[in-house]
Structures are given as C-alpha cells and as structure tokens.
Amino acid sequence: MKKIKYLFKRIMAMDYKRMLRVAKEVSKKAKKPYLYIIFDMIMCGIKYGAGYLDYSLFEMYNLNDKQRSTYLTRGKNNELIVKYNSKEHYNDLDNKVNFNNIFKKYLKRDFVSLKDASKEDVINFIIQNKVFVAKVIDGTCGKGVEKIDLADFENANAVYEFLINNNFMLIEQLIIQKDELNNLHPQSINDVRLVTVLKDDKVNIVGAFLRIGNGKFVDNINSGGMFTPINIDTGIIEFPAADKDGNIYEKHPLTNVSIVGFKIPLWEECIHLVNEAAFVVPSVRYVGWDIAITNEGPVFIEANPFPGHDIYQIPIHTPDKIGVMPRFENL
C-alpha cells in the first residue's frame, strides 16, 4: 500500500514535459526508439521505483532486469528513509542550527545562531572573524551557503543587515582543510560523504564518496561539483570523478592533481567519527554525513536525514553494472 501511495504521488507530481525531453535525449544516446524508452521508463518506475532521471543517470536502458533490481532508486531510497528515520527527529539533523547545537563537540569551530543570539553578539563574531560562512537553516544542494568577507561591506552592521535581509540564520568560522585536499581544489572544502545505517547497535557504512569543487565555493554536485567513490576499506579513490553533466575527470581540471589514486587523509579518524556520532540521535538511523578534514582531524560540516541516492551508481563507477542495494539488503 505504501508503494502504491508513493507511486501515485510521484505520478501526480511528475514534470511530464521534462520527462519527455529526457526520454528524447536518452533515445538519441541509447540509439533506441523514443516510444520504447518512454515505455521502459514507466516500467522501471513501476517495478524498481526509478524516476526518469534515475533511468537516464544510471543508464538503466543498458541494464537487464537482474541488474536493475540491484540499483538504489529514488523510490527505494524513500522506503529506506521511512524505514530507518523517525519524522519527529528529522530536524535534529536537517535544521542546521539544531545540528550544530546537538553535534557541537564534532564541529571544532565557533558558530552563532542569528535567531538566538543578540545583535551585539553577532556583530562581535563578525568583527572577530572577518571572513566566515553564512547559512540558511534548511538549504540543500549547496544552496543557501555563502562566504562572507567583512572587507566587502561598509562595516559590521552592514554585514548584519545583509544576513538578516537574506535569511541567513547561522554563521560559522571558516574551515581550513588539510593541505592534500586544499591542493586538490582550494576554492572549496572538498568533503567526504559517509552514509551510515545504524542497525542492531551496529554502524554500517553503505557509501563513501569524495565531493570535489570545480571553481566554486561549494563542492555540491548540483552546484557544478564532481564526485567519486572512496574504497571504504582503504580510503583510496579508484575511479575517476564525474559531474552531473557526465564529464569524467582523472585529474582535476583546474589544479591537475590526480584524482585516481588519491588517498583520503585521516581516513580511520573519519570512520571513527561517524561510528560515534551515529548513536547521538539513534532514531535517525540512515544518515549522510558531510565531513571536512582539517589538520586537527575530521569535523562535521552537516548531516542529512534524507541521503541522496544519485551519486551511488553512475556507469563509470559501476563497471560490473551492479548497484548498491545489496549493501542494504545484507545488513
């Protein structure tokens, strides 16, 4: 019944014009008839919970039924969120101010909530830090995050007014990332995304990725960044990075630093961090943790109780055409 309700909601909310446009693009790329692609998209939605963007991104037209069943689709990801995460505690992680307060010991940086602090306290923070990060409470996909420099404004009061007028409710000290990651791309924090499932008092890491910026302050893939999986056992990157447009990068295009073979510094410390933090809000058990790695160790940027599924299984990272669903099914 839940699957039927979810499917009905997706049907009602579908952007059909975009779906048909994607189907045309896929038809050209796959060299298969347009009507066949539309029909196959619909069947993948019914059988596997795959949206039309899943169908295109994962190149499901090149997969047989057995292979398709192993892919984590939008529908299956939604089922996992419902299964493992309590709605009553979503905001403990999704609300950035709540997250910072609850996970303060893992941040290792100062922050101020504009909702809770006085104007004087906010201005003092601005004067003391001069360059800092401002966030909206519920921004996603790298949106609602901005680097603020006092030198760009007339005074600290002007910065305060800018923050209020643009709904920035959280300001934080800048994170200074470890040299190896800074050399890879210095304009952004290149963060590690670790995805965990807490089950039977055991933390299971079901996904590990490095997200890398590409000329912007943020590294999110929806803001032009790239991503690549990390070998969970070794912390070493074995595949080229990719972006959402399908571009492949063995080396970073701006720094020429090799991505394939890159070893994540302090990898064991990253694993330890999520193994400990996963128990802080135990009613939210399926979480995507975003980690910055500094000279003082790994720190949290934020965490997501609605982990995305779109970076798990693109073709360049799944040469065996097997998705990640077995990792969840074998927990």
Side-chain angles (χ1 to χ4, degrees):
M1 183 62 71
K2 288 182 179 179
K3 287 185 179 181
I4 295 173
K5 286 183 178 179
Y6 174 77
L7 185 60
F8 180 74
K9 286 181 180 179
R10 292 298 305 143
I11 291 171
M12 295 301 294
M14 188 84 72
D15 183 343
Y16 288 98
K17 286 184 178 180
R18 189 181 182 192
M19 174 186 170
L20 295 178
R21 186 169 66 248
V22 170
K24 286 183 179 179
E25 294 169 357
V26 170
S27 175
K28 290 179 181 179
K29 184 178 179 181
K31 295 181 172 58
K32 295 183 179 181
Y34 173 56
L35 291 179
Y36 167 82
I37 293 297
I38 292 176
F39 176 78
D40 201 36
M41 276 184 174
I42 294 170
M43 292 308 298
C44 281
I46 295 171
K47 293 176 69 174
Y48 310 111
Y52 59 86
L53 294 178
D54 290 344
Y55 185 90
S56 174
L57 186 63
F58 303 151
E59 295 185 0
M60 298 188 81
Y61 48 86
N62 285 331
L63 305 176
N64 60 38
D65 284 347
K66 186 175 181 180
Q67 291 164 340
R68 288 173 171 182
S69 68
T70 69
Y71 275 66
L72 176 62
T73 62
R74 179 170 182 166
K76 290 180 181 179
N77 196 52
N78 182 69
E79 291 176 5
L80 290 169
I81 291 168
V82 171
K83 177 180 179 178
Y84 287 114
N85 294 347
S86 165
K87 284 185 179 180
E88 289 76 13
H89 293 277
Y90 282 169
N91 272 341
D92 289 350
L93 279 73
D94 204 36
N95 180 295
K96 291 179 172 56
V97 172
N98 291 348
F99 175 80
N100 278 22
N101 285 324
I102 293 171
F103 292 87
K104 185 175 181 178
K105 66 176 284 190
Y106 303 108
L107 302 184
K108 300 179 183 177
R109 61 188 180 277
D110 289 335
F111 62 89
V112 173
S113 164
L114 275 72
K115 181 181 178 181
D116 303 319
S118 66
K119 180 177 179 179
E120 181 182 3
D121 287 339
V122 174
I123 287 180
N124 284 338
F125 179 94
I126 294 168
I127 292 172
Q128 290 171 8
N129 291 281
K130 293 185 174 57
V131 181
F132 58 91
V133 174
K135 299 179 179 180
V136 300
I137 287 179
D138 55 358
T140 59
C141 301
K143 298 174 183 177
V145 179
E146 192 165 330
K147 186 178 180 181
I148 306 294
D149 189 339
L150 175 57
D152 294 333
F153 295 81
E154 184 178 348
N155 52 42
N157 191 70
V159 178
Y160 178 82
E161 294 300 324
F162 173 82
L163 295 171
I164 294 297
N165 292 337
N166 289 276
N167 297 316
F168 289 109
M169 289 289 108
L170 180 65
I171 52 179
E172 301 178 350
Q173 285 183 318
L174 279 179
I175 295 172
I176 307 300
Q177 65 187 341
K178 203 161 173 51
D179 288 345
E180 297 94 316
L181 290 160
N182 201 56
N183 292 337
L184 183 60
H185 181 255
Q187 287 95 329
S188 69
I189 297 297
N190 308 300
D191 73 298
V192 169
R193 163 65 68 93
L194 286 178
V195 184
T196 61
V197 174
L198 178 62
K199 184 176 181 181
D200 300 329
D201 290 327
K202 180 184 176 183
V203 179
N204 304 273
I205 298 177
V206 292
F209 306 88
L210 179 65
R211 301 190 300 184
I212 310 165
N214 193 7
K216 295 183 180 180
F217 174 61
V218 294
D219 65 357
N220 193 280
I221 63 170
N222 293 298
S223 299
M226 61 187 80
F227 60 97
T228 185
I230 304 168
N231 184 304
I232 296 172
D233 296 324
T234 65
I236 295 174
I237 293 171
E238 300 172 345
F239 293 96
D243 62 23
K244 265 208 162 178
D245 293 327
N247 299 307
I248 304 300
Y249 307 91
E250 293 206 4
K251 293 184 178 181
H252 198 288
L254 300 179
T255 63
N256 207 38
V257 174
S258 179
I259 294 171
V260 177
F262 186 91
K263 182 172 175 57
I264 306 299
L266 305 179
W267 182 242
E268 291 302 322
E269 287 86 345
C270 292
I271 300 297
H272 176 76
L273 178 64
V274 297
N275 274 320
E276 184 175 316
F279 289 94
V280 174
V281 184
S283 55
V284 181
R285 297 182 288 149
Y286 175 34
V287 180
W289 307 92
D290 294 341
I291 302 168
I293 301 173
T294 74
N295 287 328
E296 288 71 44
V299 299
F300 283 138
I301 300 173
E302 59 187 34
N304 193 334
F306 308 94
H309 68 289
D310 50 357
I311 66 174
Y312 277 92
Q313 312 141 122
I314 66 167
I316 189 68
H317 300 152
T318 52
D320 58 359
K321 297 185 178 181
I322 300 299
V324 300
M325 271 310 296
R327 299 183 191 177
F328 294 88
E329 294 165 347
N330 293 331
L331 294 180

